Amino acid sequence: MKRILTTLSALLMAATTLLASGPFREHRWESFHGLMPDTASIVFTGNSITNMHDWWEAYGNHAILNRGTSGGFSYELLPQLESIVMGHPDKVFVGIGTNDLCTVESIEATADNIALIVTRLRRESPRTKVYVQSVIPSTNSNGFGRGERIPKLNDLLKEKVVTLNEELGDVYYLDVFSKLVGADGISFKTMASGLSLAYDNLHPTVLGYGLWCNTIKNEVGSKCIYNINATTLHNGGQNNSTGDRITCFAQQPVAADDILFIGDEMVSSGEWHEWLRSAHVKNRGLGWGYTGSQLTQEITNAPLYFKHKSSKAPRAIVIYAGVQEAHNSLSAADFHDRYQRLITALRAKATTSTIYLLTPLQTPTASVNTFINSYRAELNALATENENVKVVDATAMNGVTKYFYVGDGGNYLTSYGYAKVAQYVEQAVKADYPDCDLHAVS
């Protein structure tokens, strides 16, 4: 027991030290405190491989919550479990460790960290079933030989889960690795169609996530919606981690009463179906780290949002974009032109949808804010020039410290910030659709 407590203390100190260099992760962890799971919740926690995927949409199950943090390490996750265990969820799926193997951290230390994560989950939330997922393949190793180390870590995790289950009960090991790995035992396999399971050899495409989700569907308790026999991947012209995420969009259906969020990091980082407490809110954001995607990428992606055979024009589309353009000193006229092209591209498929344009929020950089201020006038002009397009003005948030995460100067939102944006969206959409089931966290 003394050894465990000493190890736990060391891990907590290591995590605290690392937080200073991880503002994205820290802002994600802070935001989770505004989103409490309940006893029906199924939580996925881990690193970017968890963070960048819409697990609840893959299973069509609104009870599934995403608590992934891009760039996360096993020793960081341990002290961040409070917002999970306080809600006493039904199940937690742990997927962590691949980033540790790209550092000097040993395989044994990583396995010990994960065992401590499981121990804390089970002891502080005894009703919660814990599933330790194997680390998936990767040949993207940054010189640390991650591909060769992953099978060794998985073997050790499997052994530890047996012991943990004997001691604590309701701890299970899920082998996802063998479903994704190729004949060499290290890299991702290639599908019979020749399509990739991971463009960047780390983050899965929709086919990789589809194999994964089907492997664990019985434990999750929901059917996976993805077609793993697809003969085409739609990646928005991106053969990288961004493209990996985009491939999922084409297989995620959009219903007539949905609210579709599209845009940059602020969109992708927000668990909007939770902030608005609605299974009709769907996230198509891009970017894990400030500032995220550009309008030109959103224009390319627009047809893919409606690619699924059952997709319909959603009730509303909420757009948040322009921060990257402001950082690139894009003129107001060019911003107007690109935004109009995006509206036109969306209108080609979503003819009846009301489009809401969220005003870009302040940044810590005065020169960038000069462009953002000019963009607001362009959004108002676009709303005048286009039918059924409206501006959601969030400028009252600017200058209010509690809305912006100070750890990086104010680029990211806090839990208060995400909640406030959700309240603005609810107010705007309900003004037009009083019957919609949006219930923003207050």
Side-chain angles (χ1 to χ4, degrees), residues 293-310:
S293 65
Q294 300 187 51
L295 279 164
T296 49
Q297 185 63 58
E298 299 301 337
I299 295 166
T300 300
N301 293 349
L304 304 182
Y305 302 141
F306 313 102
K307 197 75 175 177
H308 191 278
K309 63 182 180 181
S310 72

Side-chain angles (χ1 to χ4, degrees), residues 35-36 54 122 163 319 323 330 424:
L35 299 170
M36 188 65 65
D54 297 304
R122 287 293 297 133
T163 302
I319 307 173
V323 178
L330 185 73
Y424 280 130

Side-chain angles (χ1 to χ4, degrees), residues 271-291:
E271 300 302 320
W272 297 107
H273 74 110
E274 292 186 70
W275 288 114
L276 285 155
R277 292 186 282 206
S278 173
H280 294 297
V281 175
K282 297 179 177 177
N283 191 329
R284 300 295 181 267
L286 285 175
W288 293 269
Y290 192 77
T291 58

Side-chain angles (χ1 to χ4, degrees), residues 145-419:
R146 171 164 52 184
E148 292 77 10
R149 300 175 80 194
I150 287 173
K152 297 175 183 177
L153 174 59
N154 286 336
D155 288 343
L156 192 52
L157 287 176
K158 189 174 182 179
E159 293 176 7
K160 284 187 175 293
V161 164
V162 172
T163 302
L164 288 165
N165 187 52
E166 290 174 351
E167 294 177 357
L168 304 170
D170 276 333
V171 181
Y172 310 94
Y173 178 79
L174 297 176
D175 177 18
V176 180
F177 177 85
S178 66
K179 304 297 182 182
L180 301 178
V181 74
D184 63 0
I186 296 175
S187 57
F188 280 94
K189 70 181 180 183
T190 301
M191 299 294 281
S193 60
L195 298 176
S196 176
L197 292 186
Y199 291 128
D200 67 346
N201 299 310
L202 177 60
H203 303 92
T205 63
V206 69
L207 298 182
Y209 280 121
L211 289 171
W212 184 341
C213 290
N214 276 289
T215 299
I216 65 172
K217 65 183 179 182
N218 291 335
E219 288 75 16
V220 173
S222 298
K223 181 180 178 181
C224 178
I225 68 166
Y226 293 148
N227 175 19
I228 59 174
N229 297 313
T231 57
T232 305
L233 287 179
H234 302 280
N235 63 11
Q238 300 291 326
N239 294 312
N240 50 29
S241 61
T242 297
D244 290 325
R245 173 161 168 79
I246 293 172
T247 62
C248 295
F249 297 162
Q251 288 207 34
Q252 293 169 336
V254 177
D257 50 1
D258 282 347
I259 314 294
L260 199 64
F261 274 65
I262 69 173
D264 60 20
E265 177 277 326
M266 196 270 278
V267 174
S268 67
S269 294
E271 300 302 320
W272 297 107
H273 74 110
E274 292 186 70
W275 288 114
L276 285 155
R277 292 186 282 206
S278 173
H280 294 297
V281 175
K282 297 179 177 177
N283 191 329
R284 300 295 181 267
L286 285 175
W288 293 269
Y290 192 77
T291 58
S293 65
Q294 300 187 51
L295 279 164
T296 49
Q297 185 63 58
E298 299 301 337
I299 295 166
T300 300
N301 293 349
L304 304 182
Y305 302 141
F306 313 102
K307 197 75 175 177
H308 191 278
K309 63 182 180 181
S310 72
S311 286
K312 297 177 174 60
R315 172 175 285 178
I317 300 173
V318 178
I319 307 173
Y320 181 85
V323 178
Q324 179 65 60
E325 283 74 12
H327 276 269
N328 292 341
S329 303
L330 185 73
S331 71
D334 287 340
F335 173 81
H336 185 111
D337 175 68
R338 290 185 188 180
Y339 220 120
Q340 180 59 63
R341 287 164 55 200
L342 174 57
I343 292 170
T344 301
L346 292 168
R347 275 282 176 252
K349 297 292 184 180
T351 56
T352 60
S353 305
T354 302
I355 299 177
Y356 298 90
L357 315 180
L358 264 168
T359 55
L361 296 169
Q362 69 176 21
T363 76
T365 307
S367 59
V368 173
N369 290 337
T370 299
F371 286 93
I372 283 178
N373 291 335
S374 70
Y375 294 169
R376 294 191 190 105
E378 299 306 320
L379 293 182
N380 287 318
L382 287 162
T384 300
E385 296 160 6
N386 290 271
E387 185 177 356
N388 211 16
V389 173
K390 304 183 179 185
V391 173
V392 179
D393 190 352
T395 54
M397 292 177 62
N398 292 338
V400 182
T401 303
K402 71 177 182 178
Y403 295 141
F404 298 93
Y405 175 63
V406 297
D408 71 332
N411 286 319
Y412 298 111
L413 294 181
T414 62
S415 55
Y416 291 105
Y418 283 115

